[in-house]
Coordinates of all heavy atoms in Angstrom, one line a residue:
M1 N 0.9 -1.2 0.0 CA 0.0 0.0 0.0 C 0.9 1.2 0.0 O 1.7 1.4 0.9 CB -0.9 0.0 1.2 CG -1.8 1.1 1.4 SD -3.2 1.3 0.3 CE -4.1 -0.3 0.6
L2 N 0.7 2.1 -1.0 CA 1.4 3.3 -1.1 C 0.7 4.4 -0.3 O -0.5 4.6 -0.4 CB 1.5 3.7 -2.6 CG 2.3 5.0 -2.9 CD1 3.8 4.8 -2.5 CD2 2.2 5.3 -4.4
L3 N 1.5 5.0 0.6 CA 0.9 6.1 1.5 C 1.6 7.4 1.2 O 2.8 7.5 1.3 CB 1.1 5.7 3.0 CG 0.5 4.4 3.4 CD1 0.9 4.1 4.9 CD2 -1.0 4.3 3.2
L4 N 0.8 8.4 0.8 CA 1.4 9.7 0.4 C 0.7 10.8 1.1 O -0.6 10.8 1.3 CB 1.3 9.9 -1.1 CG 2.0 8.9 -2.0 CD1 1.6 9.0 -3.4 CD2 3.5 9.0 -1.8
N5 N 1.4 11.9 1.4 CA 0.7 13.1 2.0 C 0.6 14.2 0.9 O 0.4 15.3 1.3 CB 1.3 13.6 3.3 CG 2.7 14.2 3.1 OD1 3.3 14.0 2.0 ND2 3.2 14.9 4.1
I6 N 0.6 13.8 -0.3 CA 0.3 14.7 -1.5 C -1.0 14.2 -2.1 O -1.4 13.1 -1.8 CB 1.5 14.7 -2.5 CG1 1.9 13.4 -3.0 CG2 2.7 15.5 -1.9 CD1 2.9 13.3 -4.1
D7 N -1.6 15.0 -2.9 CA -2.9 14.6 -3.4 C -2.9 13.8 -4.7 O -4.0 13.7 -5.4 CB -3.8 15.9 -3.5 CG -3.3 16.9 -4.5 OD1 -2.2 16.6 -5.1 OD2 -3.9 17.9 -4.7
H8 N -1.8 13.3 -5.1 CA -1.7 12.5 -6.3 C -0.6 11.5 -6.2 O 0.2 11.6 -5.3 CB -1.5 13.4 -7.5 CG -0.2 14.2 -7.5 ND1 0.0 15.3 -6.7 CD2 1.0 14.0 -8.1 CE1 1.3 15.7 -6.8 NE2 1.9 14.9 -7.7
V9 N -0.6 10.6 -7.2 CA 0.6 9.6 -7.3 C 1.4 10.1 -8.5 O 0.8 10.1 -9.6 CB 0.1 8.2 -7.5 CG1 1.2 7.3 -7.7 CG2 -0.8 7.8 -6.3
P10 N 2.6 10.6 -8.3 CA 3.3 11.2 -9.4 C 3.4 10.2 -10.6 O 3.7 9.0 -10.5 CB 4.7 11.4 -8.8 CG 4.4 11.6 -7.4 CD 3.3 10.7 -7.0
G11 N 3.1 10.8 -11.8 CA 3.2 10.0 -13.0 C 2.1 9.0 -13.3 O 2.1 8.2 -14.2
K12 N 1.1 9.0 -12.4 CA 0.0 8.0 -12.5 C -1.4 8.7 -12.5 O -1.5 9.8 -11.9 CB 0.0 7.0 -11.4 CG 1.3 6.2 -11.2 CD 1.5 5.2 -12.3 CE 2.7 4.4 -12.1 NZ 2.9 3.3 -13.0
E13 N -2.3 8.0 -13.1 CA -3.7 8.5 -12.9 C -4.3 7.7 -11.8 O -4.0 6.5 -11.5 CB -4.5 8.2 -14.2 CG -4.2 9.2 -15.3 CD -5.2 9.2 -16.4 OE1 -6.4 8.9 -16.1 OE2 -4.9 9.6 -17.5
I14 N -5.2 8.4 -11.0 CA -5.9 7.7 -9.9 C -7.4 7.8 -10.0 O -7.9 8.8 -10.6 CB -5.4 8.3 -8.6 CG1 -5.6 9.8 -8.5 CG2 -3.9 8.0 -8.3 CD1 -5.3 10.4 -7.1
E15 N -8.0 6.9 -9.4 CA -9.5 6.9 -9.2 C -9.8 6.9 -7.8 O -9.4 6.0 -7.0 CB -10.1 5.6 -9.9 CG -11.6 5.5 -9.6 CD -12.1 4.1 -10.0 OE1 -11.4 3.3 -10.6 OE2 -13.2 3.8 -9.6
A16 N -10.4 8.0 -7.3 CA -10.8 8.1 -5.9 C -11.9 7.1 -5.5 O -12.9 7.0 -6.2 CB -11.2 9.5 -5.6
L17 N -11.6 6.4 -4.4 CA -12.6 5.4 -3.9 C -13.3 5.9 -2.7 O -14.4 5.4 -2.4 CB -11.9 4.1 -3.6 CG -11.1 3.4 -4.7 CD1 -10.4 2.2 -4.2 CD2 -12.0 3.1 -5.9
G18 N -12.8 6.9 -2.0 CA -13.4 7.4 -0.8 C -12.5 7.7 0.3 O -11.3 7.4 0.3
I19 N -13.0 8.4 1.3 CA -12.2 8.8 2.5 C -12.1 7.5 3.4 O -13.0 6.8 3.6 CB -12.9 9.9 3.3 CG1 -12.9 11.2 2.4 CG2 -12.2 10.1 4.6 CD1 -13.7 12.3 3.0
V20 N -10.9 7.3 3.9 CA -10.6 6.3 4.8 C -10.0 6.9 6.1 O -9.3 7.9 6.0 CB -9.7 5.2 4.2 CG1 -10.5 4.4 3.2 CG2 -8.4 5.7 3.6
K21 N -10.2 6.2 7.2 CA -9.6 6.7 8.4 C -9.4 5.6 9.4 O -9.9 4.5 9.3 CB -10.5 7.8 9.1 CG -11.7 7.3 9.9 CD -12.8 7.0 9.1 CE -14.0 6.4 9.8 NZ -14.6 5.3 8.9
G22 N -8.5 5.9 10.3 CA -8.2 5.0 11.4 C -8.0 5.8 12.7 O -7.5 6.9 12.6
T23 N -8.6 5.3 13.7 CA -8.5 6.1 15.0 C -8.2 5.2 16.2 O -8.5 4.0 16.1 CB -9.8 6.9 15.2 OG1 -9.7 7.7 16.3 CG2 -11.0 5.9 15.4
V24 N -7.6 5.7 17.2 CA -7.3 5.0 18.4 C -7.3 6.0 19.5 O -7.0 7.2 19.4 CB -5.9 4.3 18.3 CG1 -4.8 5.3 18.2 CG2 -5.7 3.4 19.5
V25 N -7.9 5.6 20.7 CA -7.8 6.4 21.9 C -6.8 5.7 22.8 O -7.0 4.5 23.2 CB -9.2 6.5 22.6 CG1 -9.0 7.3 23.9 CG2 -10.1 7.3 21.6
Q26 N -5.7 6.4 23.1 CA -4.7 5.8 23.9 C -4.6 6.5 25.3 O -4.7 7.7 25.4 CB -3.3 6.0 23.2 CG -2.2 5.2 23.7 CD -2.0 3.9 22.9 OE1 -2.9 3.5 22.1 NE2 -0.9 3.2 23.1
S27 N -4.5 5.7 26.4 CA -4.4 6.3 27.7 C -3.0 6.2 28.2 O -2.2 5.4 27.8 CB -5.3 5.6 28.7 OG -4.9 4.3 28.9
K28 N -2.7 7.1 29.1 CA -1.4 7.2 29.7 C -1.2 6.1 30.8 O -2.2 5.7 31.4 CB -1.1 8.5 30.4 CG -1.2 9.7 29.4 CD -0.8 11.0 30.1 CE -2.1 11.8 30.2 NZ -1.8 13.1 30.9
N29 N 0.0 5.6 30.9 CA 0.3 4.6 31.9 C 0.7 5.4 33.2 O 1.4 6.4 33.1 CB 1.5 3.8 31.4 CG 2.1 2.9 32.4 OD1 2.6 3.3 33.5 ND2 2.1 1.6 32.1
F30 N 0.1 4.9 34.3 CA 0.4 5.7 35.6 C 1.8 5.9 35.9 O 2.2 7.0 36.2 CB -0.3 4.9 36.8 CG 0.0 5.6 38.1 CD1 -0.7 6.8 38.4 CD2 0.9 5.1 38.9 CE1 -0.4 7.5 39.6 CE2 1.2 5.7 40.1 CZ 0.6 6.9 40.4
G31 N 2.6 4.8 35.7 CA 4.1 5.0 35.9 C 4.7 6.0 35.0 O 5.5 6.8 35.5
K32 N 4.4 5.9 33.7 CA 4.9 6.9 32.8 C 4.4 8.3 33.1 O 5.1 9.3 33.0 CB 4.6 6.5 31.4 CG 5.4 5.3 30.9 CD 5.0 5.0 29.4 CE 5.8 3.8 29.0 NZ 5.5 3.4 27.6
D33 N 3.1 8.4 33.5 CA 2.5 9.7 33.9 C 3.3 10.3 35.0 O 3.6 11.5 35.1 CB 1.1 9.5 34.2 CG 0.3 10.8 34.1 OD1 0.7 11.7 33.3 OD2 -0.7 10.9 34.8
F34 N 3.6 9.5 36.0 CA 4.3 10.0 37.2 C 5.7 10.5 36.8 O 6.1 11.6 37.2 CB 4.4 8.9 38.3 CG 5.2 9.3 39.5 CD1 4.7 10.2 40.4 CD2 6.5 8.9 39.6 CE1 5.4 10.6 41.5 CE2 7.3 9.3 40.7 CZ 6.7 10.1 41.7
M35 N 6.4 9.7 36.0 CA 7.7 10.1 35.6 C 7.7 11.4 34.7 O 8.6 12.2 34.8 CB 8.4 9.0 34.8 CG 8.7 7.8 35.7 SD 9.6 8.2 37.2 CE 11.2 8.7 36.5
A36 N 6.6 11.5 33.9 CA 6.5 12.7 33.0 C 6.3 13.9 33.9 O 6.8 15.0 33.6 CB 5.3 12.5 32.1
G37 N 5.5 13.8 35.0 CA 5.3 14.9 35.9 C 6.7 15.3 36.5 O 6.9 16.5 36.7
M38 N 7.5 14.3 36.8 CA 8.8 14.6 37.4 C 9.7 15.3 36.3 O 10.4 16.3 36.6 CB 9.5 13.4 37.9 CG 8.8 12.6 39.0 SD 8.5 13.7 40.4 CE 10.1 13.8 41.1
K39 N 9.6 14.9 35.1 CA 10.4 15.5 34.0 C 10.0 17.0 33.8 O 10.9 17.7 33.4 CB 10.1 14.7 32.7 CG 11.0 15.1 31.5 CD 12.4 14.7 31.8 CE 13.2 14.9 30.5 NZ 14.6 14.5 30.6
T40 N 8.8 17.3 34.0 CA 8.4 18.7 33.8 C 9.1 19.7 34.8 O 9.2 20.9 34.5 CB 6.9 18.9 34.0 OG1 6.5 18.6 35.3 CG2 6.1 18.1 32.9
L41 N 9.7 19.1 35.8 CA 10.4 20.0 36.8 C 11.8 20.3 36.2 O 12.3 21.4 36.6 CB 10.6 19.2 38.1 CG 9.3 18.9 38.9 CD1 9.6 18.1 40.1 CD2 8.6 20.2 39.3
V42 N 12.4 19.5 35.4 CA 13.7 19.7 34.9 C 13.7 20.1 33.4 O 14.8 20.5 32.9 CB 14.7 18.5 35.2 CG1 14.9 18.3 36.7 CG2 14.1 17.3 34.5
G43 N 12.7 19.8 32.7 CA 12.6 20.1 31.3 C 13.1 19.0 30.4 O 13.7 18.1 30.9
G44 N 12.9 19.1 29.1 CA 13.3 18.1 28.2 C 12.2 17.3 27.6 O 11.0 17.4 28.0
E45 N 12.5 16.4 26.8 CA 11.6 15.5 26.1 C 11.0 14.5 27.1 O 11.7 14.0 27.9 CB 12.2 14.7 25.0 CG 11.2 13.8 24.3 CD 11.8 13.0 23.1 OE1 13.1 13.0 23.0 OE2 11.1 12.3 22.4
I46 N 9.7 14.3 27.0 CA 9.0 13.3 27.8 C 8.9 12.1 26.9 O 7.9 11.9 26.2 CB 7.6 13.8 28.3 CG1 7.8 15.1 29.1 CG2 6.9 12.8 29.1 CD1 6.6 15.8 29.5
V47 N 9.9 11.2 27.0 CA 10.0 10.1 26.1 C 8.8 9.1 26.2 O 8.4 8.6 25.2 CB 11.3 9.3 26.4 CG1 11.5 8.1 25.6 CG2 12.5 10.2 26.2
G48 N 8.3 8.9 27.4 CA 7.1 8.0 27.5 C 5.9 8.5 26.7 O 5.3 7.7 26.1
Y49 N 5.7 9.8 26.7 CA 4.6 10.3 25.9 C 4.9 10.3 24.4 O 4.0 10.0 23.6 CB 4.3 11.7 26.3 CG 3.6 11.9 27.6 CD1 3.4 13.1 28.2 CD2 3.0 10.8 28.3 CE1 2.7 13.2 29.4 CE2 2.4 10.9 29.5 CZ 2.2 12.1 30.1 OH 1.6 12.2 31.3
T50 N 6.2 10.5 24.1 CA 6.6 10.4 22.7 C 6.3 9.0 22.1 O 5.7 8.8 21.1 CB 8.0 10.8 22.5 OG1 8.2 12.1 22.9 CG2 8.5 10.7 21.0
E51 N 6.7 8.0 22.9 CA 6.5 6.6 22.5 C 5.1 6.3 22.4 O 4.6 5.5 21.5 CB 7.2 5.7 23.5 CG 8.7 5.8 23.5 CD 9.4 5.1 24.6 OE1 8.8 4.6 25.6 OE2 10.7 5.0 24.6
M52 N 4.2 6.8 23.4 CA 2.8 6.5 23.4 C 2.2 7.1 22.1 O 1.4 6.4 21.4 CB 2.1 7.2 24.6 CG 0.6 7.0 24.6 SD -0.2 7.9 25.8 CE -0.3 9.5 25.0
L53 N 2.6 8.3 21.7 CA 2.0 8.9 20.5 C 2.5 8.2 19.2 O 1.7 8.0 18.2 CB 2.3 10.4 20.4 CG 1.5 11.2 21.4 CD1 1.9 12.6 21.5 CD2 0.0 11.1 21.1
I54 N 3.7 7.7 19.2 CA 4.3 7.0 18.0 C 3.4 5.7 17.9 O 3.0 5.4 16.8 CB 5.8 6.7 18.2 CG1 6.6 8.0 18.0 CG2 6.2 5.6 17.2 CD1 8.0 7.8 18.4
E55 N 3.2 5.0 18.9 CA 2.4 3.8 18.9 C 1.0 4.0 18.4 O 0.5 3.3 17.6 CB 2.4 3.1 20.3 CG 1.6 1.8 20.3 CD 1.5 1.1 21.6 OE1 2.1 1.7 22.6 OE2 1.0 0.1 21.7
A56 N 0.4 5.1 19.0 CA -1.0 5.4 18.6 C -1.0 5.8 17.1 O -2.0 5.4 16.4 CB -1.5 6.6 19.4
R57 N -0.1 6.5 16.6 CA -0.1 6.8 15.1 C 0.1 5.6 14.3 O -0.6 5.5 13.2 CB 1.0 7.9 14.8 CG 0.6 9.3 15.0 CD 1.6 10.3 14.4 NE 2.9 10.2 15.1 CZ 3.3 10.9 16.2 NH1 2.4 11.7 16.8 NH2 4.5 10.7 16.7
Q58 N 0.9 4.6 14.7 CA 1.1 3.4 14.0 C -0.2 2.6 14.0 O -0.6 2.0 12.9 CB 2.2 2.5 14.6 CG 3.6 3.1 14.4 CD 4.7 2.4 15.2 OE1 4.4 1.7 16.2 NE2 5.9 2.5 14.7
I59 N -0.9 2.5 15.1 CA -2.2 1.8 15.1 C -3.2 2.5 14.2 O -3.9 1.8 13.5 CB -2.7 1.7 16.6 CG1 -1.8 0.8 17.4 CG2 -4.2 1.2 16.6 CD1 -2.0 0.9 18.9
A60 N -3.3 3.8 14.3 CA -4.3 4.5 13.5 C -4.0 4.4 12.0 O -4.9 4.2 11.2 CB -4.3 6.0 13.9
T61 N -2.7 4.4 11.7 CA -2.3 4.2 10.3 C -2.7 2.8 9.8 O -3.2 2.7 8.7 CB -0.8 4.5 10.1 OG1 -0.5 5.8 10.5 CG2 -0.4 4.3 8.6
K62 N -2.4 1.8 10.6 CA -2.8 0.4 10.2 C -4.3 0.3 10.0 O -4.7 -0.3 9.0 CB -2.3 -0.6 11.2 CG -2.7 -2.0 10.8 CD -2.1 -3.1 11.6 CE -2.5 -4.5 11.1 NZ -3.5 -4.7 10.2
R63 N -5.1 0.9 10.8 CA -6.5 0.8 10.7 C -7.0 1.5 9.4 O -7.9 1.1 8.8 CB -7.2 1.4 12.0 CG -7.0 0.4 13.2 CD -7.6 1.0 14.4 NE -7.4 0.0 15.5 CZ -7.6 0.3 16.8 NH1 -8.2 1.4 17.1 NH2 -7.4 -0.6 17.7
M64 N -6.4 2.7 9.1 CA -6.7 3.4 7.9 C -6.4 2.5 6.7 O -7.2 2.4 5.7 CB -5.9 4.7 7.8 CG -6.2 5.5 6.6 SD -5.0 6.9 6.4 CE -3.5 6.1 6.3
V65 N -5.2 1.9 6.7 CA -4.8 1.0 5.6 C -5.7 -0.2 5.4 O -6.1 -0.5 4.3 CB -3.3 0.6 5.8 CG1 -2.9 -0.6 4.8 CG2 -2.3 1.7 5.6
D66 N -6.1 -0.8 6.5 CA -7.0 -1.9 6.5 C -8.4 -1.5 5.8 O -8.9 -2.2 5.0 CB -7.3 -2.4 7.9 CG -6.1 -3.1 8.5 OD1 -5.2 -3.5 7.8 OD2 -6.2 -3.4 9.7
E67 N -8.8 -0.3 6.2 CA -10.1 0.2 5.6 C -9.9 0.5 4.1 O -10.8 0.2 3.2 CB -10.5 1.5 6.3 CG -11.9 2.0 6.0 CD -12.3 3.1 6.9 OE1 -12.3 3.0 8.1 OE2 -12.8 4.2 6.3
A68 N -8.7 1.0 3.7 CA -8.4 1.2 2.2 C -8.4 -0.1 1.5 O -8.9 -0.2 0.4 CB -7.1 2.0 2.1
Q69 N -7.7 -1.1 2.1 CA -7.6 -2.4 1.4 C -9.0 -3.0 1.2 O -9.3 -3.6 0.2 CB -6.7 -3.3 2.2 CG -5.3 -2.9 2.1 CD -4.3 -3.8 3.0 OE1 -4.8 -4.2 4.1 NE2 -3.1 -3.9 2.6
A70 N -9.9 -2.8 2.2 CA -11.3 -3.3 2.1 C -12.0 -2.7 0.9 O -12.9 -3.3 0.3 CB -12.0 -3.1 3.4
L71 N -11.6 -1.5 0.5 CA -12.2 -0.8 -0.7 C -11.5 -1.2 -2.0 O -11.9 -0.8 -3.0 CB -12.1 0.7 -0.5 CG -13.0 1.3 0.6 CD1 -12.7 2.8 0.7 CD2 -14.5 1.1 0.3
G72 N -10.4 -2.0 -1.9 CA -9.7 -2.4 -3.1 C -8.6 -1.3 -3.5 O -8.2 -1.3 -4.7
A73 N -8.2 -0.5 -2.6 CA -7.3 0.6 -2.9 C -5.9 0.1 -3.1 O -5.5 -0.9 -2.5 CB -7.3 1.7 -1.9
D74 N -5.1 0.8 -3.9 CA -3.7 0.6 -4.1 C -2.9 1.6 -3.3 O -1.7 1.3 -3.1 CB -3.3 0.8 -5.6 CG -4.0 -0.2 -6.5 OD1 -4.1 -1.4 -6.2 OD2 -4.6 0.3 -7.5
A75 N -3.5 2.7 -3.0 CA -2.8 3.8 -2.3 C -3.8 4.6 -1.5 O -5.0 4.6 -1.7 CB -2.0 4.6 -3.3
V76 N -3.2 5.4 -0.5 CA -3.9 6.4 0.2 C -3.2 7.7 0.0 O -2.0 7.8 0.3 CB -4.1 6.1 1.7 CG1 -4.9 7.2 2.4 CG2 -4.8 4.7 1.9
V77 N -3.9 8.7 -0.5 CA -3.2 10.0 -0.8 C -3.8 11.0 0.2 O -4.8 10.8 0.8 CB -3.4 10.4 -2.3 CG1 -2.7 9.5 -3.2 CG2 -4.8 10.6 -2.6
N78 N -3.0 12.1 0.2 CA -3.4 13.3 1.1 C -3.6 12.9 2.5 O -4.6 13.3 3.2 CB -4.7 13.9 0.5 CG -4.8 15.4 0.9 OD1 -3.8 16.0 1.1 ND2 -6.0 15.9 0.9
I79 N -2.7 12.0 3.0 CA -2.8 11.5 4.4 C -2.6 12.7 5.4 O -1.7 13.5 5.2 CB -1.8 10.4 4.7 CG1 -2.3 9.2 3.8 CG2 -1.8 10.0 6.2 CD1 -1.3 8.0 3.9
R80 N -3.4 12.7 6.4 CA -3.2 13.7 7.5 C -3.4 12.9 8.8 O -4.0 11.9 8.9 CB -4.3 14.8 7.4 CG -4.3 15.6 6.1 CD -3.0 16.4 6.1 NE -3.0 17.3 4.9 CZ -2.3 17.0 3.8 NH1 -1.5 16.0 3.7 NH2 -2.3 17.9 2.8
F81 N -2.8 13.5 9.9 CA -2.9 13.0 11.2 C -3.5 14.1 12.1 O -3.2 15.3 11.9 CB -1.6 12.6 11.8 CG -1.0 11.4 11.1 CD1 -0.1 11.6 10.1 CD2 -1.3 10.1 11.5 CE1 0.5 10.5 9.4 CE2 -0.7 9.0 10.9 CZ 0.1 9.2 9.9
G82 N -4.3 13.7 13.1 CA -4.8 14.7 14.1 C -4.8 14.0 15.4 O -4.7 12.8 15.6
S83 N -4.8 14.8 16.4 CA -4.9 14.3 17.8 C -5.7 15.3 18.7 O -5.8 16.5 18.4 CB -3.5 14.1 18.4 OG -2.8 15.3 18.6
S84 N -6.3 14.7 19.7 CA -7.1 15.6 20.6 C -7.2 14.8 21.9 O -7.1 13.6 22.0 CB -8.5 15.9 20.1 OG -9.2 14.7 19.9
S85 N -7.4 15.6 23.0 CA -7.6 15.0 24.3 C -9.1 14.7 24.4 O -10.0 15.6 24.1 CB -7.2 16.0 25.3 OG -7.5 15.5 26.6
V86 N -9.4 13.5 24.7 CA -10.9 13.1 24.8 C -11.3 13.0 26.3 O -12.5 13.1 26.6 CB -11.2 11.7 24.1 CG1 -11.0 11.9 22.6 CG2 -10.3 10.6 24.7
M87 N -10.4 12.9 27.2 CA -10.6 13.0 28.6 C -9.3 13.1 29.3 O -8.2 12.9 28.7 CB -11.4 11.7 29.1 CG -10.6 10.4 28.9 SD -11.5 8.9 29.4 CE -11.2 8.9 31.1
Q88 N -9.3 13.4 30.6 CA -8.0 13.5 31.3 C -7.3 12.2 31.2 O -7.8 11.2 31.6 CB -8.2 14.0 32.7 CG -6.9 14.3 33.4 CD -7.2 14.9 34.8 OE1 -8.3 15.1 35.2 NE2 -6.1 15.2 35.5
G89 N -6.1 12.2 30.7 CA -5.3 11.0 30.7 C -5.4 10.2 29.4 O -4.8 9.1 29.4
A90 N -6.2 10.6 28.4 CA -6.4 9.9 27.2 C -6.4 10.8 26.0 O -7.0 11.9 26.1 CB -7.7 9.0 27.3
A91 N -5.8 10.4 24.9 CA -5.8 11.1 23.7 C -6.2 10.3 22.5 O -5.9 9.1 22.5 CB -4.3 11.7 23.4
E92 N -6.9 10.9 21.6 CA -7.3 10.3 20.4 C -6.3 10.7 19.3 O -5.9 11.8 19.2 CB -8.7 10.7 19.9 CG -9.1 10.1 18.6 CD -10.3 10.8 17.9 OE1 -10.5 12.0 18.1 OE2 -11.0 10.1 17.2
V93 N -5.9 9.7 18.5 CA -5.1 10.0 17.3 C -5.9 9.4 16.1 O -6.4 8.3 16.2 CB -3.7 9.3 17.4 CG1 -2.9 9.4 16.1 CG2 -2.9 9.9 18.6
I94 N -6.0 10.2 15.1 CA -6.7 9.8 13.9 C -5.7 10.0 12.7 O -5.0 11.0 12.6 CB -8.0 10.6 13.7 CG1 -8.7 10.1 12.4 CG2 -7.7 12.1 13.6 CD1 -10.2 10.6 12.3
A95 N -5.8 9.0 11.8 CA -5.1 9.1 10.5 C -6.2 9.0 9.4 O -7.1 8.2 9.5 CB -4.1 7.9 10.3
Y96 N -6.2 9.9 8.4 CA -7.2 9.9 7.4 C -6.6 10.3 6.0 O -5.6 11.0 6.0 CB -8.4 10.7 7.8 CG -8.1 12.2 8.0 CD1 -8.3 13.1 7.0 CD2 -7.6 12.7 9.2 CE1 -8.0 14.5 7.2 CE2 -7.3 14.0 9.4 CZ -7.6 14.9 8.4 OH -7.3 16.2 8.6
G97 N -7.2 9.9 5.0 CA -6.8 10.3 3.7 C -7.8 9.7 2.6 O -8.9 9.3 3.0
T98 N -7.5 9.8 1.4 CA -8.3 9.3 0.3 C -7.8 8.1 -0.3 O -6.6 8.0 -0.8 CB -8.4 10.4 -0.8 OG1 -8.9 11.6 -0.2 CG2 -9.4 10.0 -1.9
A99 N -8.6 7.0 -0.2 CA -8.2 5.7 -0.8 C -8.3 5.9 -2.3 O -9.3 6.4 -2.8 CB -9.1 4.6 -0.3
V100 N -7.3 5.4 -3.1 CA -7.4 5.5 -4.5 C -6.9 4.2 -5.2 O -6.2 3.4 -4.6 CB -6.5 6.7 -5.1 CG1 -6.9 8.0 -4.5 CG2 -5.0 6.4 -4.7
K101 N -7.4 4.0 -6.4 CA -6.9 2.9 -7.3 C -6.0 3.6 -8.3 O -6.3 4.6 -8.9 CB -8.2 2.3 -8.0 CG -7.9 1.0 -8.6 CD -8.0 -0.1 -7.6 CE -7.9 -1.4 -8.3 NZ -7.5 -2.4 -7.4
V102 N -4.8 3.0 -8.4 CA -3.8 3.6 -9.3 C -3.9 2.9 -10.7 O -4.0 1.7 -10.8 CB -2.4 3.4 -8.7 CG1 -1.3 4.0 -9.7 CG2 -2.3 4.1 -7.3
R103 N -3.8 3.7 -11.7 CA -3.8 3.2 -13.1 C -2.5 3.4 -13.8 O -1.8 4.3 -13.6 CB -4.9 3.9 -13.9 CG -6.3 3.6 -13.4 CD -7.3 4.2 -14.3 NE -8.5 4.4 -13.5 CZ -9.5 5.2 -13.8 NH1 -9.4 6.0 -14.9 NH2 -10.6 5.3 -13.1

């Protein structure tokens, strides 16, 4: 599956099949949350949260790809990611784009 964040496949014609998305709501681990709180006192990257968001983006992307494959797509173009807090201690990550058939 070809994944692009541009709206076309260079040198190819495409047929749009529809919007596809993948979403996940990921919660923080208490231990990581405690250590993150400590890290805010000294500054720097909060590695536990970075890892959590990387994992969440991977899950959301896989779900988006699965939805595109179900439509018979060869690629997903114009991919975007978003995130939001859905409750204290949990964040939603969404991946979305347009599933296309490449000719």
Side-chain angles (χ1 to χ4, degrees):
M1 178 72 57
L2 184 60
L3 305 176
L4 300 168
N5 70 345
I6 55 178
D7 63 359
H8 63 284
V9 177
K12 304 285 184 179
E13 287 199 22
I14 58 173
E15 173 191 350
L17 302 176
I19 295 173
V20 289
K21 80 277 178 224
T23 186
V24 63
V25 175
Q26 196 95 349
S27 66
K28 297 184 254 182
N29 172 297
F30 176 75
K32 288 183 181 180
D33 197 33
F34 176 76
M35 294 308 291
M38 299 303 289
K39 185 71 171 185
T40 61
L41 297 174
V42 295
E45 180 182 7
I46 302 172
V47 176
Y49 286 169
T50 300
E51 291 169 353
M52 179 190 80
L53 288 171
I54 288 169
E55 180 183 3
R57 276 191 294 274
Q58 290 172 338
I59 293 167
T61 300
K62 178 170 182 348
R63 290 177 180 172
M64 177 189 65
V65 167
D66 290 346
E67 195 171 302
Q69 287 175 330
L71 292 176
D74 301 312
V76 180
V77 297
N78 206 26
I79 293 175
R80 300 292 184 257
F81 292 93
S83 64
S84 63
S85 177
V86 294
M87 60 182 278
Q88 187 172 0
E92 175 194 34
V93 173
I94 184 168
Y96 60 98
T98 303
V100 299
K101 195 82 170 156
V102 178
R103 297 185 201 159

